Amino acid sequence: MKIVQVANFIHETSGGMRTALGALQNQYLAQGHEVVLIRPGIDSCSDETNAVKDFTIRGPVLPMTGGYRVIVGRRELKHILLSLTPDVVELSDKSTLFWVPKWCRKNGITCVVISHERTDLALNSLGWKRFPLIPIVSYFRRAISRSANVIVCASRFAAAEFEGQSDSVHIVPLGVDGAQFSSSQKSSNWGTPFTLVVCARLSPEKNVDVAIEALRMFCRNNVCQMLVLGDGPLMNSLQEQAIGLPVHFMGHISDRDTLANLLAFADVVLNLGHIETFGLVSLEALAVGTPVIVASAGASCEVIDTTCGVVVDLQPEKIVAAINQLRQFSREDLRLQCELRASNFNWTVTGERMVELFASSIGISKHVNHS
């Protein structure tokens, strides 16, 4: 089977979406399928020397997104897709590329859309409330619902966007690499000093400012520190907010082994994004044995349970209370419970489920390799 992934809104500092794309690529390749990625970039080019063929289409930066580029050249994208003759197009954008499923249907190509974000809620977080975009977003959603063969969501929260609009929505949770993210990595220096970790893109919807205010309150009675892993448009303002506090901004961590070690070093990970459609960093933290505090809004609360984390409203005092609640548990018990919860999510299962959806959509056995 030839699977062509088409994705917007990814670059060097992308988080969960880029991780998910890469993990799915590995799963498809392991099952014997051919994988091609088409994405936006500074210039149009192609690289066919790696296991995953990579086509870049020149695309502009979308304003107020922190540097994300998008494909706007329909002709070039159509030309590449027709030349590749894919069995299935896996589309990771349901806004600027809303027209792709309809075009695929007209050309006899199966199109599966992965809903990585809640577009309706994301626009509000980007500061676009003053623009009349709700009708446009609704139009995009209707177009996707009518034409996509399958819509894949990682959580019930993500699927709610399509409620009553499509019968082709399937919930397929994401996974975690249990070899790379393991609780055996838990640092012997765990809790010296007490360490909070935030791993997120530094943009409004991640609510890192709330985490910093929670640290300000927690520091009054505790020796502690916070590591902020990530980069983004709010870096400068967050650094100003954190002046005088034990907050260390470490930038985007591209090396996955380093990320695993830092999550393992933490006593608690804070993942306070209120429009997360899964919360992959929460799962990675659990896999290394670290409990997680998540926002009550969004999908992160679907990943954790009461044995391995706490769900809170976005108020600093409630976050501090949740930290103190977790400190009452035995560290070893927490580590084991976190690891147990993470074991329910596996990239192999995710990849197999995706291929099953592809195969059923194009009417062939998932074991047949058409590459």
Side-chain angles (χ1 to χ4, degrees):
M1 187 187 306
K2 180 184 286 186
I3 303 166
V4 176
Q5 297 177 315
V6 181
N8 272 338
F9 306 108
I10 56 172
H11 57 43
E12 289 75 12
T13 62
S14 298
M17 179 175 167
R18 183 173 181 175
T19 299
L21 283 171
L24 288 174
Q25 288 170 1
N26 291 336
Q27 292 303 317
Y28 301 154
L29 291 171
Q31 295 182 52
H33 302 290
E34 182 180 352
V35 184
V36 182
L37 174 64
I38 303 175
R39 58 187 176 87
I42 299 175
D43 295 302
S44 295
C45 60
S46 64
D47 182 357
E48 303 185 44
T49 61
N50 299 316
V52 176
K53 298 178 181 178
D54 190 350
F55 288 82
T56 302
I57 296 178
R58 182 178 182 181
V61 173
L62 192 64
M64 293 185 287
T65 62
Y68 285 120
R69 294 182 180 272
V70 294
I71 297 170
V72 295
R74 293 193 183 190
R75 181 180 299 179
E76 188 174 0
L77 177 55
K78 290 176 182 178
H79 173 74
I80 294 174
L81 288 175
L82 287 174
S83 66
L84 290 172
T85 62
D87 291 296
V88 60
V89 169
E90 179 190 276
L91 179 64
S92 291
D93 175 17
K94 59 183 194 292
S95 54
T96 57
L97 295 177
F98 74 95
W99 55 271
V100 171
K102 183 177 181 179
W103 179 87
C104 285
R105 185 174 289 271
K106 287 183 176 179
N107 287 273
I109 302 171
T110 294
C111 183
V112 174
V113 176
I114 300 182
S115 182
H116 291 278
E117 75 292 316
R118 282 286 299 267
T119 310
D120 52 344
L121 303 178
L123 289 174
N124 289 337
S125 295
L126 288 171
W128 288 1
K129 294 180 182 179
R130 63 183 181 275
F131 297 105
L133 293 176
I134 298 302
I136 299 175
V137 171
S138 298
Y139 173 76
F140 291 164
R141 191 184 302 117
R142 288 194 301 270
I144 294 287
S145 300
R146 285 195 300 263
S147 300
N149 296 87
V150 175
I151 299 171
V152 174
C153 299
S155 63
R156 297 188 300 275
F157 174 77
E161 185 176 7
F162 295 95
E163 188 172 351
Q165 298 187 44
S166 176
D167 296 327
S168 60
V169 176
H170 295 260
I171 297 178
V172 181
L174 304 183
V176 64
D177 184 342
Q180 190 169 50
F181 292 84
S182 168
S183 71
S184 64
Q185 299 168 262
K186 201 65 183 170
S187 173
S188 59
N189 293 322
W190 188 20
T192 312
F194 190 89
T195 301
L196 301 171
V197 166
V198 176
C199 179
R201 179 170 168 76
L202 305 186
S203 51
E205 74 279 4
K206 301 300 184 179
N207 300 305
V208 180
D209 57 328
V210 182
I212 292 174
E213 289 309 305
L215 176 75
R216 191 186 305 276
M217 294 182 63
F218 189 66
C219 279
R220 293 171 186 168
N221 300 306
N222 299 277
V223 177
C224 58
Q225 66 176 345
M226 175 179 286
L227 309 182
V228 178
L229 319 180
D231 202 348
L234 296 185
M235 172 67 86
N236 291 337
S237 63
L238 291 171
Q239 287 178 326
E240 290 180 6
Q241 178 188 355
I243 290 175
L245 295 175
V247 180
H248 308 282
F249 290 87
M250 305 186 68
H252 174 70
I253 306 298
S254 58
D255 183 78
R256 302 290 289 166
D257 290 331
T258 300
L259 174 62
N261 288 332
L262 289 170
L263 292 177
F265 181 76
D267 290 271
V268 176
V269 166
L270 304 180
N271 187 12
L272 303 179
H274 65 287
I275 60 172
E276 299 284 341
T277 53
F278 185 74
L280 187 57
V281 70
S282 296
L283 182 55
E284 292 170 343
L286 295 180
V288 297
T290 303
V292 188
I293 296 174
V294 302
S296 56
S300 288
C301 57
E302 298 179 35
V303 175
I304 72 163
D305 61 23
T306 55
T307 67
C308 59
V310 184
V311 177
V312 298
D313 294 332
L314 291 174
Q315 299 169 17
E317 61 273 15
K318 293 189 175 181
I319 296 169
V320 171
I323 295 170
N324 289 326
Q325 179 182 334
L326 290 172
R327 295 180 76 187
Q328 303 305 310
F329 290 89
S330 156
R331 289 182 177 178
E332 182 62 13
D333 287 347
L334 264 180
R335 182 185 70 82
L336 293 173
Q337 290 298 327
C338 291
E339 183 180 43
L340 179 63
R341 179 59 179 168
S343 67
N344 293 313
F345 301 87
N346 187 289
W347 276 123
T348 300
V349 174
T350 303
E352 289 176 348
R353 180 62 179 139
M354 289 296 295
V355 171
E356 287 174 356
L357 290 173
F358 295 160
S360 62
S361 297
I362 60 181
I364 64 171
S365 167
K366 67 175 181 177
H367 300 296
V368 176
N369 186 340
H370 280 249
S371 63

